[in-house]
Short mmCIF file of all heavy atoms in Angstrom, two decimals:
data_model
loop_
_atom_site.label_atom_id
_atom_site.label_comp_id
_atom_site.label_asym_id
_atom_site.label_seq_id
_atom_site.Cartn_x
_atom_site.Cartn_y
_atom_site.Cartn_z
N MET A 56 55.30 -12.59 8.84
CA MET A 56 55.17 -11.19 8.43
C MET A 56 55.50 -11.03 6.95
O MET A 56 54.92 -10.18 6.28
CB MET A 56 56.07 -10.29 9.29
CG MET A 56 55.61 -10.18 10.74
SD MET A 56 53.99 -9.45 10.94
CE MET A 56 54.40 -7.72 10.92
N ASP A 57 56.43 -11.83 6.43
CA ASP A 57 56.70 -11.81 4.99
C ASP A 57 55.41 -12.11 4.22
O ASP A 57 55.08 -11.43 3.24
CB ASP A 57 57.74 -12.88 4.60
CG ASP A 57 59.13 -12.58 5.09
OD1 ASP A 57 59.40 -11.45 5.55
OD2 ASP A 57 59.98 -13.49 5.03
N ASN A 58 54.70 -13.13 4.68
CA ASN A 58 53.47 -13.52 4.01
C ASN A 58 52.38 -12.47 4.16
O ASN A 58 51.63 -12.20 3.22
CB ASN A 58 52.98 -14.88 4.53
CG ASN A 58 53.89 -16.01 4.12
OD1 ASN A 58 54.63 -15.91 3.15
ND2 ASN A 58 53.86 -17.09 4.86
N ILE A 59 52.27 -11.88 5.34
CA ILE A 59 51.29 -10.81 5.55
C ILE A 59 51.58 -9.65 4.62
O ILE A 59 50.68 -9.13 3.95
CB ILE A 59 51.29 -10.33 7.02
CG1 ILE A 59 50.72 -11.42 7.93
CG2 ILE A 59 50.50 -9.04 7.18
CD1 ILE A 59 50.85 -11.11 9.40
N PHE A 60 52.84 -9.25 4.58
CA PHE A 60 53.23 -8.13 3.73
C PHE A 60 52.88 -8.41 2.27
O PHE A 60 52.28 -7.59 1.58
CB PHE A 60 54.73 -7.86 3.88
CG PHE A 60 55.20 -6.62 3.19
CD1 PHE A 60 55.13 -5.39 3.83
CD2 PHE A 60 55.71 -6.67 1.91
CE1 PHE A 60 55.57 -4.24 3.20
CE2 PHE A 60 56.15 -5.53 1.27
CZ PHE A 60 56.08 -4.30 1.92
N ARG A 61 53.23 -9.61 1.82
CA ARG A 61 52.95 -10.00 0.44
C ARG A 61 51.45 -9.99 0.15
O ARG A 61 51.00 -9.55 -0.90
CB ARG A 61 53.53 -11.40 0.17
CG ARG A 61 53.31 -11.91 -1.23
CD ARG A 61 53.90 -13.31 -1.44
NE ARG A 61 53.53 -14.28 -0.45
CZ ARG A 61 52.37 -14.96 -0.44
NH1 ARG A 61 51.48 -14.76 -1.38
NH2 ARG A 61 52.11 -15.85 0.50
N ALA A 62 50.67 -10.43 1.13
CA ALA A 62 49.22 -10.48 0.94
C ALA A 62 48.61 -9.08 0.81
O ALA A 62 47.65 -8.89 0.07
CB ALA A 62 48.55 -11.22 2.10
N PHE A 63 49.18 -8.10 1.49
CA PHE A 63 48.63 -6.75 1.44
C PHE A 63 49.28 -5.86 0.39
O PHE A 63 48.79 -4.76 0.13
CB PHE A 63 48.69 -6.08 2.81
CG PHE A 63 47.62 -6.58 3.72
CD1 PHE A 63 47.94 -7.27 4.87
CD2 PHE A 63 46.28 -6.38 3.42
CE1 PHE A 63 46.95 -7.74 5.71
CE2 PHE A 63 45.29 -6.85 4.25
CZ PHE A 63 45.62 -7.53 5.40
N ASP A 64 50.36 -6.32 -0.21
CA ASP A 64 50.98 -5.56 -1.30
C ASP A 64 50.17 -5.85 -2.57
O ASP A 64 50.54 -6.65 -3.40
CB ASP A 64 52.44 -5.98 -1.46
CG ASP A 64 53.13 -5.28 -2.61
OD1 ASP A 64 52.60 -4.26 -3.11
OD2 ASP A 64 54.21 -5.75 -3.02
N MET A 65 49.04 -5.17 -2.68
CA MET A 65 48.06 -5.47 -3.73
C MET A 65 48.59 -5.28 -5.14
O MET A 65 48.22 -6.01 -6.05
CB MET A 65 46.80 -4.62 -3.56
CG MET A 65 46.13 -4.78 -2.23
SD MET A 65 45.56 -6.46 -2.02
CE MET A 65 44.71 -6.33 -0.48
N ASN A 66 49.46 -4.29 -5.34
CA ASN A 66 49.96 -4.04 -6.69
C ASN A 66 51.31 -4.71 -6.94
O ASN A 66 51.93 -4.50 -7.98
CB ASN A 66 50.03 -2.54 -6.98
CG ASN A 66 50.96 -1.80 -6.04
OD1 ASN A 66 51.57 -2.39 -5.15
ND2 ASN A 66 51.07 -0.50 -6.24
N HIS A 67 51.77 -5.52 -5.99
CA HIS A 67 52.98 -6.34 -6.12
C HIS A 67 54.23 -5.52 -6.49
O HIS A 67 55.05 -5.96 -7.28
CB HIS A 67 52.76 -7.46 -7.13
CG HIS A 67 51.55 -8.29 -6.84
ND1 HIS A 67 51.46 -9.12 -5.75
CD2 HIS A 67 50.35 -8.37 -7.48
CE1 HIS A 67 50.27 -9.68 -5.73
NE2 HIS A 67 49.57 -9.24 -6.76
N ASP A 68 54.36 -4.33 -5.87
CA ASP A 68 55.55 -3.52 -6.11
C ASP A 68 56.58 -3.64 -4.98
O ASP A 68 57.53 -2.87 -4.92
CB ASP A 68 55.17 -2.05 -6.34
CG ASP A 68 54.57 -1.39 -5.11
OD1 ASP A 68 54.30 -2.09 -4.10
OD2 ASP A 68 54.36 -0.16 -5.16
N ASN A 69 56.39 -4.61 -4.10
CA ASN A 69 57.29 -4.88 -2.97
C ASN A 69 57.33 -3.75 -1.96
O ASN A 69 58.30 -3.62 -1.20
CB ASN A 69 58.70 -5.25 -3.45
CG ASN A 69 58.70 -6.54 -4.22
OD1 ASN A 69 58.02 -7.51 -3.84
ND2 ASN A 69 59.42 -6.57 -5.32
N THR A 70 56.31 -2.92 -1.96
CA THR A 70 56.13 -1.90 -0.93
C THR A 70 54.65 -1.88 -0.57
O THR A 70 53.81 -2.37 -1.31
CB THR A 70 56.54 -0.49 -1.40
OG1 THR A 70 55.67 -0.06 -2.45
CG2 THR A 70 57.98 -0.45 -1.86
N MET A 71 54.38 -1.29 0.57
CA MET A 71 53.00 -1.11 0.98
C MET A 71 52.78 0.40 1.08
O MET A 71 53.48 1.09 1.82
CB MET A 71 52.76 -1.78 2.34
CG MET A 71 51.30 -1.92 2.71
SD MET A 71 51.04 -2.70 4.33
CE MET A 71 51.70 -4.34 4.08
N ASP A 72 51.83 0.90 0.28
CA ASP A 72 51.52 2.32 0.39
C ASP A 72 50.48 2.52 1.48
O ASP A 72 50.02 1.57 2.11
CB ASP A 72 51.08 2.90 -0.96
CG ASP A 72 49.79 2.29 -1.50
OD1 ASP A 72 48.95 1.81 -0.71
OD2 ASP A 72 49.63 2.29 -2.73
N PHE A 73 50.12 3.77 1.73
CA PHE A 73 49.22 4.06 2.84
C PHE A 73 47.86 3.39 2.66
O PHE A 73 47.28 2.88 3.63
CB PHE A 73 49.06 5.58 3.02
CG PHE A 73 48.18 5.94 4.17
CD1 PHE A 73 48.59 5.70 5.48
CD2 PHE A 73 46.93 6.50 3.96
CE1 PHE A 73 47.77 6.00 6.56
CE2 PHE A 73 46.11 6.81 5.04
CZ PHE A 73 46.53 6.57 6.34
N ILE A 74 47.34 3.36 1.46
CA ILE A 74 46.03 2.73 1.21
C ILE A 74 46.09 1.24 1.54
O ILE A 74 45.20 0.70 2.19
CB ILE A 74 45.57 2.95 -0.25
CG1 ILE A 74 45.42 4.45 -0.55
CG2 ILE A 74 44.29 2.20 -0.53
CD1 ILE A 74 44.39 5.16 0.30
N GLU A 75 47.15 0.57 1.11
CA GLU A 75 47.31 -0.85 1.42
C GLU A 75 47.46 -1.06 2.93
O GLU A 75 46.91 -2.00 3.50
CB GLU A 75 48.52 -1.41 0.67
CG GLU A 75 48.33 -1.45 -0.84
CD GLU A 75 49.61 -1.67 -1.62
OE1 GLU A 75 50.69 -1.23 -1.17
OE2 GLU A 75 49.53 -2.27 -2.70
N TYR A 76 48.18 -0.15 3.57
CA TYR A 76 48.39 -0.21 5.02
C TYR A 76 47.07 -0.07 5.77
O TYR A 76 46.76 -0.86 6.66
CB TYR A 76 49.38 0.90 5.39
CG TYR A 76 49.63 1.14 6.85
CD1 TYR A 76 50.40 0.25 7.59
CD2 TYR A 76 49.15 2.27 7.49
CE1 TYR A 76 50.67 0.48 8.93
CE2 TYR A 76 49.42 2.51 8.82
CZ TYR A 76 50.18 1.62 9.53
OH TYR A 76 50.44 1.85 10.85
N VAL A 77 46.26 0.90 5.40
CA VAL A 77 44.95 1.11 6.04
C VAL A 77 44.03 -0.08 5.77
O VAL A 77 43.32 -0.54 6.66
CB VAL A 77 44.30 2.44 5.61
CG1 VAL A 77 42.86 2.53 6.07
CG2 VAL A 77 45.11 3.61 6.15
N ALA A 78 44.08 -0.61 4.56
CA ALA A 78 43.26 -1.78 4.24
C ALA A 78 43.65 -2.96 5.14
O ALA A 78 42.79 -3.69 5.64
CB ALA A 78 43.41 -2.16 2.77
N ALA A 79 44.95 -3.13 5.37
CA ALA A 79 45.42 -4.21 6.24
C ALA A 79 44.93 -4.00 7.66
O ALA A 79 44.39 -4.93 8.29
CB ALA A 79 46.96 -4.26 6.21
N LEU A 80 45.09 -2.80 8.19
CA LEU A 80 44.63 -2.52 9.56
C LEU A 80 43.12 -2.70 9.68
O LEU A 80 42.63 -3.25 10.67
CB LEU A 80 45.03 -1.11 9.99
CG LEU A 80 46.52 -0.87 10.18
CD1 LEU A 80 46.77 0.58 10.57
CD2 LEU A 80 47.09 -1.81 11.23
N ASN A 81 42.38 -2.23 8.69
CA ASN A 81 40.93 -2.35 8.73
C ASN A 81 40.50 -3.82 8.76
O ASN A 81 39.63 -4.20 9.53
CB ASN A 81 40.30 -1.63 7.54
CG ASN A 81 38.80 -1.62 7.63
OD1 ASN A 81 38.22 -1.12 8.59
ND2 ASN A 81 38.15 -2.18 6.64
N LEU A 82 41.13 -4.64 7.94
CA LEU A 82 40.78 -6.05 7.92
C LEU A 82 41.09 -6.70 9.26
O LEU A 82 40.28 -7.43 9.82
CB LEU A 82 41.52 -6.79 6.81
CG LEU A 82 41.28 -8.30 6.78
CD1 LEU A 82 39.84 -8.62 6.38
CD2 LEU A 82 42.24 -8.98 5.86
N VAL A 83 42.27 -6.42 9.79
CA VAL A 83 42.69 -7.04 11.04
C VAL A 83 41.79 -6.61 12.19
O VAL A 83 41.37 -7.43 13.01
CB VAL A 83 44.17 -6.69 11.34
CG1 VAL A 83 44.55 -7.07 12.76
CG2 VAL A 83 45.08 -7.39 10.34
N LEU A 84 41.43 -5.34 12.24
CA LEU A 84 40.67 -4.82 13.37
C LEU A 84 39.17 -4.97 13.22
O LEU A 84 38.46 -5.11 14.21
CB LEU A 84 41.02 -3.35 13.60
CG LEU A 84 42.46 -3.09 14.01
CD1 LEU A 84 42.73 -1.60 14.06
CD2 LEU A 84 42.78 -3.75 15.35
N ARG A 85 38.65 -4.90 11.98
CA ARG A 85 37.20 -4.85 11.82
C ARG A 85 36.63 -5.84 10.83
O ARG A 85 35.43 -5.88 10.61
CB ARG A 85 36.80 -3.45 11.35
CG ARG A 85 37.11 -2.40 12.37
CD ARG A 85 36.46 -1.10 11.98
NE ARG A 85 36.72 -0.13 13.02
CZ ARG A 85 37.10 1.09 12.81
NH1 ARG A 85 37.27 1.52 11.58
NH2 ARG A 85 37.30 1.91 13.81
#
Side-chain angles (χ1 to χ4, degrees):
M56 292 298 276
D57 291 348
N58 291 338
I59 291 173
F60 187 87
R61 181 180 50 82
F63 283 116
D64 178 16
M65 302 297 185
N66 61 0
H67 307 291
D68 66 352
N69 296 319
T70 66
M71 193 181 296
D72 63 27
F73 182 68
I74 299 299
E75 293 165 328
Y76 174 73
V77 170
L80 292 178
N81 186 59
L82 176 69
V83 168
L84 296 173
R85 296 191 177 135

